[in-house]
Amino acid sequence: MKEKPIKDSRREFLKTSATLAAMAFLGTQTFVNAKEAKMTKTAIPQRKIGNFQVSAIGLGCMGMSANHGPARDKKEMIKLLHKAVDLGYSYFDTAEVYGPHTNEELLGEALKNYKDKIIINTKFGFYYPFGKQQLDSSRKSIMRAVDGSLKRLQRDCIDLYTQHRVDIDTPIEEVAETMKDLVKMGKIKAWALGEAGIKTIQKAHKVFAPVAMQSQYSMAFRDLEKNGIMDTCEKLGITIVAYSPLDRGFLGGDFTKDTKFHPTLDFRASMPRYTKEALEANQSVIEFIKKVAQSKSINGKAATIAQVSLAWILSNKSFVIPIPETTKIHRLEENLNASLLTFSPSELQEMNKELSKIVIVGDRYAPGSDAANSVGL
């Protein structure tokens, strides 16, 4: 999708968003309600990924087909994807490993008639043969993978092609050269990294610059701010695509200590962050966000915990795009409306001060697991 000039709506956006005084959380001062803002397609803020202009909030599609319980009804998911386009979503995220393959096939069928309105990001190099994680970003593997993704997505060219995880057996310089060749061949338009470390990002940038880096980032998981990756990406002009911006659903506010996950079809069942003890302990961050949400409104409705969580990401940095997942149509509009809510620098300072006091219980991946060992490389 070619970049289109988009009228800068930030000034108008800010007029209809929260303009609040400095706050003291959990104390005597409270938030003032934001002015009501009406969601329209033209009002949706846009952000850049390389030469693409996309909706400031994208849509993660994995859970429609895999990893968050049984696959959802295909017809219902096609209806949801069509609704997302109608609302103004223009960034859709998938991967060949989701299913595997079935999520790409879903997007290919649902979005084949919207090629000029959206961009699709898909990922390569991450496999689970016989239930064991395998990373393969060799040129031969990539060339086979890209043709498969093109076929399943029903596209002649992939907008954004992301290395799902860094393959330490294939130098990142070789991967970057392969990406350069794929662009020349017209099979992809741009490429991105996934969960890469600083040195990998810098090495790739010298050969053929990735336009984005996809990593987990949320109010309950802020490692990017501490390990230098966010600063590195900002310096190099690389957009951060924040997956799990609602902490795999936890920051929706509905999980309790009694929440259960499918033991084999939902990988949250094996993650330390979602044990009964962790879910109970981490209600502290939910209670904090709830206090913020109670005095915010959008479209005449009280802001939700999820909306505050997404708006916090957007207000923190202008080069971060969150891609929350959902399989429910009413959540599409709820999540997208979060882009109408902003926080001032003083608000963010106070919010981050309070967040830093909250101890989050549970690692995102089990220590020593393949998943844990394949991030930050």
Side-chain angles (χ1 to χ4, degrees):
M1 187 177 78
K2 296 182 179 179
E3 177 180 350
K4 298 179 181 179
I6 294 180
K7 184 179 178 180
D8 184 5
S9 61
R10 183 167 179 79
R11 183 175 300 173
E12 186 62 29
F13 171 38
L14 290 173
K15 287 180 182 179
T16 58
S17 301
T19 306
L20 308 179
M23 307 164 295
F25 290 91
L26 310 180
T28 58
Q29 297 186 44
T30 58
F31 292 100
V32 179
N33 279 335
K35 291 182 178 180
E36 293 183 9
K38 186 175 182 179
M39 168 66 79
T40 66
K41 272 195 170 185
T42 56
I44 297 169
Q46 304 286 301
R47 294 206 165 176
K48 289 194 67 174
I49 302 180
N51 291 325
F52 301 119
Q53 288 275 10
V54 300
S55 52
I57 293 177
L59 181 60
C61 301
M62 179 186 73
M64 300 176 190
S65 305
N67 300 330
H68 283 170
R72 304 320 196 258
D73 180 79
K74 185 176 181 179
K75 290 183 179 179
E76 290 301 313
M77 292 303 96
I78 289 176
K79 185 187 301 183
L80 182 143
L81 287 163
H82 289 171
K83 181 64 175 180
V85 177
D86 290 342
L87 287 171
Y89 283 90
S90 59
Y91 182 96
F92 295 80
D93 183 86
T94 184
E96 62 171 339
V97 76
Y98 298 160
H101 301 158
T102 54
N103 197 238
E104 284 187 326
E105 290 169 350
L106 170 66
L107 267 64
E109 181 174 346
L111 302 176
K112 60 186 176 183
N113 295 325
Y114 299 98
K115 295 177 182 179
D116 60 336
K117 296 182 179 180
I118 64 168
I119 76 163
I120 294 178
N121 170 62
T122 193
K123 310 180 201 72
F124 66 89
F126 191 58
Y127 306 99
Y128 268 93
F130 310 109
K132 179 69 175 176
Q133 178 179 293
Q134 177 182 320
L135 305 176
D136 188 354
S137 287
S138 64
R139 183 181 178 87
K140 181 179 180 180
S141 176
I142 291 172
M143 289 300 178
R144 180 175 61 247
V146 71
D147 286 340
S149 290
L150 283 166
K151 182 177 180 180
R152 289 185 291 272
L153 291 170
Q154 300 188 41
R155 290 191 160 219
D156 298 322
C157 182
I158 292 170
D159 300 307
L160 184 60
Y161 203 37
T162 298
Q163 184 187 38
H164 209 142
R165 293 290 185 272
V166 175
D167 172 17
I168 60 174
D169 293 325
T170 305
I172 197 62
E173 293 90 345
E174 291 184 18
V175 177
E177 288 288 354
T178 301
M179 294 298 107
K180 184 189 296 185
D181 289 342
L182 288 177
V183 171
K184 291 178 180 178
M185 295 165 67
K187 292 190 175 185
I188 70 171
K189 295 179 182 177
W191 80 292
L193 291 163
E195 290 284 6
I198 292 175
K199 290 183 179 180
T200 297
I201 296 169
Q202 292 170 334
K203 288 178 181 179
H205 190 267
K206 288 180 181 179
V207 177
F208 185 58
V211 299
M213 216 283 285
Q214 186 168 141
S215 282
Q216 186 170 348
Y217 182 59
S218 72
M219 291 183 83
F221 189 81
R222 301 171 61 189
D223 283 15
L224 293 184
E225 300 173 6
K226 306 170 187 176
N227 58 21
I229 289 176
M230 182 168 282
D231 290 339
T232 298
C233 288
E234 184 171 21
K235 180 180 179 181
L236 297 177
I238 296 172
T239 299
I240 289 177
V241 176
Y243 77 85
S244 294
L246 298 179
D247 208 57
R248 303 193 188 279
F250 176 70
L251 295 182
D254 294 330
F255 289 3
T256 71
K257 65 179 181 179
D258 298 317
T259 298
K260 304 293 184 184
F261 303 100
H262 194 288
T264 58
L265 298 179
D266 194 323
F267 58 19
R268 289 172 292 190
S270 64
M271 294 177 172
R273 180 68 64 89
Y274 307 102
T275 63
K276 180 176 182 177
E277 294 75 19
L279 288 172
E280 183 174 19
N282 292 331
Q283 291 301 315
S284 56
V285 71
I286 297 297
E287 290 304 314
F288 168 70
I289 301 171
K290 187 183 296 184
K291 288 181 180 295
V292 179
Q294 285 173 346
S295 54
K296 293 283 189 178
S297 65
I298 304 172
N299 290 348
K301 298 179 180 179
T304 66
I305 293 171
Q307 287 174 327
V308 169
S309 299
L310 295 171
W312 174 86
I313 291 176
L314 293 174
S315 292
N316 254 344
K317 295 289 184 179
S318 62
F319 62 95
V320 180
I321 297 175
I323 52 169
E325 293 183 42
T326 188
T327 57
K328 299 178 175 64
I329 285 182
H330 73 277
R331 296 295 188 194
L332 286 174
E333 188 166 6
E334 177 186 343
N335 290 343
L336 197 59
N337 275 336
S339 65
L340 299 177
L341 184 63
T342 60
F343 300 104
S344 68
S346 59
E347 288 181 286
L348 284 171
Q349 184 177 12
E350 291 296 326
M351 291 173 74
N352 291 334
K353 179 181 177 181
E354 292 302 321
L355 284 172
S356 67
K357 298 176 184 178
I358 300 173
V359 177
I360 302 296
V361 175
D363 294 320
R364 60 167 170 162
Y365 298 122
S369 65
D370 286 342
N373 293 334
S374 61
V375 298
L377 300 178

